[in-house]
Amino acid sequence: PNSNPIPNPQGSTLLIHEATFEGDKQEEADKKKHCTIPEAMNVGVIMDARFTLLTHFSQRYPKFPDLGAALEQVRRLGALENSRGGGGVGGGA
């Protein structure tokens, strides 16, 4: 994901973000220049978006993505980001 998509995105009502791959497909996402679901969700957290709408699911994967697992990955990423002084998942997420 772009680390600085717009000058001041804090408090957005809605983020619409592509999320072609599940979190366990990071290498493939990087290679094809797409985002994973946890990456897209983390952008929403960093932007403090009230809602995040994920789009661009690949038809190659027949099952609905496991959003619970993705949320857990975002929480772990948030803990890492917070330890570095960056954004991430706050107490309310």
Side-chain angles (χ1 to χ4, degrees):
N2 185 342
S3 62
N4 191 17
I6 55 177
N8 187 11
Q10 299 328 106
S12 299
T13 301
L14 174 65
L15 167 66
I16 301 173
H17 199 297
E18 71 89 15
T20 304
F21 296 99
E22 289 188 70
D24 63 348
K25 305 239 184 297
Q26 185 67 56
E27 188 174 309
E28 190 172 353
D30 291 344
K31 188 184 324 179
K32 295 183 178 184
K33 301 195 186 304
H34 284 286
C35 289
T36 64
I37 294 168
E39 285 179 313
M41 291 171 68
N42 194 54
V43 171
V45 170
I46 291 168
M47 289 177 59
D48 194 26
R50 186 165 180 190
F51 300 99
T52 299
L53 176 64
L54 302 178
T55 65
H56 198 136
F57 295 108
S58 176
Q59 294 179 2
R60 288 177 273 178
Y61 307 108
K63 66 180 180 76
F64 191 77
D66 183 353
L67 297 181
L71 182 57
E72 185 55 37
Q73 287 178 304
V74 171
R75 286 189 173 123
R76 284 195 304 268
L77 179 61
L80 177 64
E81 292 286 330
N82 287 334
S83 72
R84 294 179 182 163
V89 176

